[in-house]
Amino acid sequence: QKEVEQNSGPLSVPEGAIASLNCTYSDRGSQSFFWYRQYSGKSPELIMSIYSNGDKEDGRFTAQLNKASQYVSLLIRDSQPSDSATYLCAVLASGGSYIPTFGRGTSLIVHP
Amino acid sequence: EAQVTQNPRYLITVTGKKLTVTCSQNMNHEYMSWYRQDPGLGLRQIYYSMNVEVTDKGDVPEGYKVSRKEKRNFPLILESPSPNQTSLYFCASSLSGQGFSYEQYFGPGTRLTVT
């Protein structure tokens, strides 16, 4: 069973702070990693994808990947109340279906 | 507009009454999948399809059927719904092949209640 683990939270940060979301995965051969944002009752929306070790930045978002330690993280700089949502980590494992496995998500609350 | 559509968006039904939730994508994606989402359990994969006439079970396939007769459509069928299938359902599609990232695009969701 290929697993993706996330702390369920909630993670509470003040407006303007950096929010750090973490994800670990079990399949060492995993190749592709995704972060989705999901507002309550809505569908997941892709924020970022990352495929190689290191950092990838897109606006206020930075994804970090460390394949040796099998973790991927998402940093949100200058957090805004509109960033309050559940963040889902998804991992595409080696072989198999080419359909990513999702973690259970971390709830983020950004308070003014 | 590139999108994944699902119908119906909301459905209340009774135990045992067969139902179909439709899913359609206009992005010419090869891969399509169905998920259910329940509080505390996250997104769990029901079935997926890698191409027309190619489907396979995900993590929680019991009580569900799918078909993929056309590339754009991937309906989810509940032959005899039961209350434990009350959930929020999402259809998703993604590109495949070398050089593509398998990023998934989700439909708006179908909230199903089985009484």
Side-chain angles (χ1 to χ4, degrees), chain A residues 53-110:
Chain A
N53 280 328
D55 295 359
K56 179 181 178 181
E57 186 175 318
D58 183 0
R60 296 186 297 113
F61 299 97
T62 299
Q64 300 175 318
L65 175 60
N66 184 324
K67 289 186 177 180
S69 299
Q70 295 176 240
Y71 83 78
V72 57
S73 62
L74 179 70
L75 301 178
I76 307 174
R77 291 183 300 280
D78 188 24
S79 296
Q80 301 297 310
S82 59
D83 294 325
S84 299
T86 296
Y87 289 80
L88 304 172
C89 172
V91 176
L92 187 62
S94 56
S97 69
Y98 297 102
I99 304 293
T101 298
F102 282 79
R104 297 185 180 187
T106 298
S107 175
L108 173 65
I109 299 172
V110 181

Side-chain angles (χ1 to χ4, degrees), chain A residues 1 32 34 36 38 41-44 46 49 51 88 92 96-100 102-104, chain B residues 31-33 35 37 40-43 45 48 50 59 90 101-104 106-108 111:
Chain A
Q1 182 78 12
S32 303
F34 311 94
Y36 288 82
Q38 186 178 25
K42 302 297 185 181
S43 58
L46 181 69
S49 52
Y51 310 104
L88 304 172
L92 187 62
S97 69
Y98 297 102
I99 304 293
F102 282 79
R104 297 185 180 187
Chain B
Y31 288 4
M32 298 186 74
S33 55
Y35 295 87
Q37 188 173 40
L41 297 178
L43 277 167
Q45 191 182 107
Y48 62 92
M50 296 170 69
D59 298 321
F90 290 104
S101 63
Y102 306 99
E103 296 172 351
Q104 289 197 297
F106 283 82
R111 187 167 294 280

